[in-house]
């Protein structure tokens, strides 16, 4: 979990200039503020990111900040759950994670809405609600699927709704 306890050490390590890829492995949870801190550090350093296993919530936004971002190779199932406040429509999916758009989505959770008082959408940050991208190994390569999870499924991702025509490479979530 990206809980903020290692942000300073992480930024110091990135600043050394010896890091080319940040690997996230089975990272579940974290806050929007912590996601923003990790994402800013990754973006500023220009490193690549890779996810092995599950990368949910704060991890997902930090992952998207990489210059290139990809799932790890191997026999594990990889999953990336990007929190969203509401179910995205197809047009929104097509542009939401390209370039700086991922940071704009994260800002929806870290900056209060002008008319909502102090909390704004920050109160709607739910680590189990959003879009889940998965990569499953098969004998003939990997199978990629995309789902919308409304938050009621808990950790049972099989209860999420399949989103058609939402290839993570076409959407910019994964880079080759």
């Amino acid at each position: 979990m990206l809980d903020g306890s290692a942000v300073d050490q992480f930024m110091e390590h990135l600043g050394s200039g010896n890091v080319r890829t940040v690997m996230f492995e089975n990272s579940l949870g974290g806050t929007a503020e912590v996601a923003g801190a990790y994402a800013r550090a990754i973006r500023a350093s220009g490193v690549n990111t890779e996810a092995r296993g599950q990368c949910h919530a704060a991890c997902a936004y930090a992952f998207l900040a990489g210059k290139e971002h990809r799932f790890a190779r191997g026999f594990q199932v990889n999953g990336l759950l990007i929190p969203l406040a509401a179910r995205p429509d197809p047009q929104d999916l097509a542009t939401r994670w390209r370039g700086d758009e991922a940071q704009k989505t994260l800002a929806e959770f870290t900056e209060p809405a002008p008319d909502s008082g102090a909390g704004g959408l920050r109160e709607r940050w739910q680590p189990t609600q959003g879009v889940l991208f998965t990569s499953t190994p098969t004998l003939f390569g990997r199978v990629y699927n995309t789902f919308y999870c409304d938050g009621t499924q808990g950790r049972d991702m099989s209860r999420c709704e399949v989103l058609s025509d939402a290839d993570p490479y076409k959407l910019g979530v994964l880079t080759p």
Side-chain angles (χ1 to χ4, degrees):
M1 178 188 294
L2 299 182
D3 62 3
S5 62
V7 172
D8 293 335
Q9 182 182 5
F10 178 76
M11 291 195 299
E12 183 180 311
H13 197 61
L14 279 180
S16 72
N18 296 326
V19 178
R20 288 186 287 178
T21 302
V22 173
M23 171 70 76
F24 295 100
E25 187 167 4
N26 294 323
S27 179
L28 307 172
T31 66
E33 290 80 11
V34 171
Y38 277 92
R40 283 188 298 278
I42 290 169
R43 178 159 284 149
S45 67
V47 298
N48 299 327
T49 54
E50 190 168 311
R52 175 175 292 155
Q54 302 302 305
C55 178
H56 295 192
C59 175
Y61 281 106
F63 169 83
L64 290 172
K67 183 177 178 184
E68 294 180 359
H69 26 91
R70 59 187 162 272
F71 281 146
R73 301 284 184 232
F75 296 109
Q76 74 281 346
V77 174
N78 296 311
L80 182 74
L81 179 65
I82 305 170
L84 293 178
R87 186 184 190 286
D89 59 38
Q91 296 83 6
D92 188 32
L93 271 177
T95 60
R96 184 170 280 272
W97 296 291
R98 295 206 179 274
D100 292 331
E101 293 300 312
Q103 297 314 305
K104 289 180 186 176
T105 301
L106 181 59
E108 293 175 0
F109 295 106
T110 58
E111 298 172 4
D115 59 350
S116 65
L121 285 174
R122 180 182 315 189
E123 297 170 359
R124 295 182 62 194
W125 174 268
Q126 294 184 40
T128 59
Q129 177 183 343
V131 177
L132 172 67
F133 295 93
T134 64
S135 169
T136 308
T138 68
L139 288 174
F140 304 104
R142 298 191 78 78
V143 174
Y144 296 90
N145 289 302
T146 304
F147 305 89
Y148 174 70
C149 304
D150 64 8
T152 62
Q153 76 287 336
R155 296 274 181 222
D156 182 4
M157 299 306 168
S158 67
R159 294 178 39 203
C160 298
E161 170 192 355
V162 175
L163 294 177
S164 61
D165 201 27
D167 179 270
Y169 286 100
K170 288 180 185 174
L171 298 178
V173 172
L174 297 176
T175 56

